[in-house]
Amino acid sequence: MKKHNFNAGPSILPNEVIKDSSKAILELDNIGLSLLEISHRSKEFASIMERACDKVLKLANLQGKGYKALFIQGGASQQFIMAAYNLLENKAGYINTGSWSSKAMKEASLLGNVIEIASSKDQNFNYIPKKYTIPNDCDYLHITTNNTIFGTQYKTFPSTSVPLIADMSSDIFSKNIDYSEFDLFYAGAQKNIGPAGVTLVVLKEQILNKVSRSIPSILDYSIHIKSDSMFNTPPVFSVYTTLLNLIWIENQGGIENLETNNNSKANLIYNEIDRNSCFKGFANKEDRSIMNATFSLIDDNLTEKFNELCNMENITGIKGHRSVGGYRASIYNALPIASVRVLVDCMQKLENNL
Ligand SMILES: *Cc1c(COP(=O)(O)O)cnc(C)c1O
């Protein structure tokens, strides 16, 4: 039986996406070859890459607005240094909302002056800072829209005159936002849009070519743009499976419908966390993520019992990150609400059997 998959990343993908990508591994579109053995320069793969980039811009409502979509390797972690390489000349502002923001700052500081505009470290990152001023001589402001480990998420974005850059790895395409507020955003595919191995980068072309340093080709956005994400061999499987998932998003009725569904899932789990006398939530209520719900038992002695209840129901992946402890239910786009109901049932069984 298939498990209820609450993994934080790599994480759940829609069943039909996994089926169709498995089929393509055996044979791609009746061409007599596997997806894994065609040239990335073939017309078949060129079309896959082009369709994937087009779908991204279409879903983000950025077509015809001066943006490019790229698929690059190296993970979101590579974007921490790549964004700075291409955009940081003097100083850049970062809002520090957790481990991933901190890592982004560490990398960027190798190349320039990194200013921590605000931080929620004082409360172990359980909230999103709201009051701060952004110096208008920053080359850019960097935020992490959803903090996968701590379970916090921006509900509105900082308004600023400097270019806004975001790590959207764990909430891209989970809700309708105005993507044009951002000059560059990136997401490791393996949380919400595809398998591991590829990172989506969407950027406004006009922000490039403003730094004086020379940029290694593999880290140069302009070179990736010029070569249509094929400067070197792209991860063909990951790009193809991401394309299938983007098509799945369209077939769900687009991001709006996913958002409605994601909100229902989030309400279900958070209402139970707040109602149930055995549990408490980690993140500040107003900053709670609709993708990663962090919570813990009030009495640690119930851990074994609760874990057993979850195991019996085939629930997997809810152990919290070590820097928060407790539990984390990742409820990404592809997770059915039925899985959340099963988890909520286990929480109720625990309370009822005391
Ligand atoms: C998982 C994650 C990363 C790291 O992604 P990699 O692809 O493993 O480099 C960065 N930022 C956020 C918000 C994440 O959730």
Side-chain angles (χ1 to χ4, degrees):
M1 189 199 143
K2 196 120 197 225
K3 296 200 167 164
H4 299 289
N5 185 358
F6 290 91
N7 277 322
S11 41
I12 186 164
L13 285 167
N15 226 339
E16 57 252 61
V17 167
I18 291 180
K19 268 194 200 138
D20 288 348
S21 80
S22 319
K23 262 193 233 153
I25 287 183
L26 294 175
E27 185 182 359
L28 179 68
D29 299 338
N30 301 315
I31 64 168
L33 293 169
S34 160
L35 166 67
L36 304 183
E37 53 185 4
I38 58 171
S39 165
H40 61 292
R41 306 278 174 208
S42 62
K43 66 176 190 319
E44 287 85 7
F45 189 75
S47 150
I48 289 166
M49 181 63 94
E50 195 187 323
R51 282 158 65 209
C53 293
D54 284 351
K55 291 219 184 289
V56 165
L57 294 180
K58 194 168 161 220
L59 283 170
N61 200 15
L62 290 175
Q63 279 174 321
K65 294 183 181 164
Y67 286 82
K68 288 278 181 205
L70 298 171
F71 286 97
I72 297 178
Q73 299 186 60
S77 301
Q78 178 167 296
Q79 292 309 307
F80 299 161
I81 191 74
M82 194 163 169
Y85 242 113
N86 286 264
L87 304 169
L88 176 50
E89 179 74 9
N90 297 310
K91 67 174 185 184
Y94 280 70
I95 298 181
N96 188 1
T97 50
S99 316
W100 298 117
S101 307
S102 307
K103 285 181 181 168
M105 291 168 68
K106 176 169 175 255
E107 297 305 304
S109 62
L110 296 172
L111 297 173
N113 193 1
V114 163
I115 313 217
E116 190 179 76
I117 303 277
S119 167
S120 47
K121 196 171 182 185
D122 57 340
Q123 304 281 344
N124 196 23
F125 300 113
N126 74 352
Y127 69 101
I128 301 285
K130 315 252 168 14
K131 289 207 176 70
Y132 42 81
T133 42
I134 304 154
N136 52 23
D137 59 345
C138 282
D139 295 320
Y140 59 82
L141 174 71
H142 181 285
I143 65 169
T144 311
T145 52
N146 184 72
N147 297 282
T148 327
I149 292 174
F150 299 93
T152 62
Q153 184 178 33
Y154 284 77
K155 306 296 164 180
T156 58
F157 304 112
S159 74
T160 166
S161 58
V162 308
L164 184 60
I165 294 187
D167 176 357
M168 297 190 184
S169 293
S170 50
D171 69 346
I172 191 161
F173 297 158
S174 66
K175 57 177 181 166
N176 236 341
I177 61 171
D178 181 359
Y179 286 93
S180 71
E181 284 185 48
F182 299 88
D183 296 82
L184 183 152
F185 54 93
Y186 58 88
Q190 71 276 15
K191 308 280 165 55
N192 211 23
I193 52 165
V198 76
T199 308
L200 171 64
V201 180
V202 179
L203 77 170
K204 229 181 201 165
E205 269 193 284
Q206 69 185 43
I207 63 169
L208 298 177
N209 304 315
K210 292 190 177 152
V211 291
S212 52
R213 74 172 61 82
S214 30
I215 304 170
S217 306
I218 193 99
L219 297 181
D220 189 337
Y221 290 126
S222 302
I223 288 185
H224 287 275
I225 290 174
K226 253 184 244 140
S227 52
D228 294 322
S229 299
M230 297 208 230
F231 166 68
N232 65 327
T233 316
V236 293
F237 169 78
S238 302
V239 173
Y240 181 72
T241 307
T242 301
L243 169 63
L244 294 180
N245 198 49
L246 297 169
I247 294 170
W248 176 84
I249 294 175
E250 282 180 349
N251 291 342
Q252 301 305 298
I255 296 174
E256 247 159 71
N257 281 1
L258 289 180
E259 177 176 6
T260 308
N261 199 31
N262 288 334
N263 282 333
S264 309
K265 290 185 283 178
N267 286 336
L268 193 58
I269 179 95
Y270 285 124
N271 286 343
E272 184 59 22
I273 290 168
D274 294 340
R275 189 209 58 77
N276 192 312
S277 60
C278 298
F279 294 93
K280 60 177 192 288
F282 174 76
N284 254 22
K285 281 188 187 176
E286 62 175 7
D287 301 322
R288 281 172 164 175
S289 164
I290 61 162
M291 293 277 96
N292 312 94
T294 43
F295 58 101
S296 60
L297 284 162
I298 289 166
D299 177 2
D300 279 340
N301 293 322
L302 296 176
T303 304
E304 208 175 313
K305 201 165 174 189
F306 182 58
N307 291 352
E308 204 179 285
L309 283 168
C310 290
N311 284 339
M312 265 166 20
E313 294 301 330
N314 274 314
I315 287 171
T316 189
I318 56 165
K319 191 177 182 323
H321 189 275
R322 61 189 178 281
S323 48
V324 180
Y327 297 94
R328 166 177 53 177
S330 297
I331 50 180
Y332 297 122
N333 282 345
L335 185 90
I337 194 162
S339 290
V340 183
R341 286 205 190 95
V342 173
L343 176 57
V344 164
D345 279 350
C346 287
M347 295 165 80
Q348 292 176 354
K349 269 187 214 151
L350 182 75
E351 189 185 37
N352 293 338
N353 291 337
L354 287 184

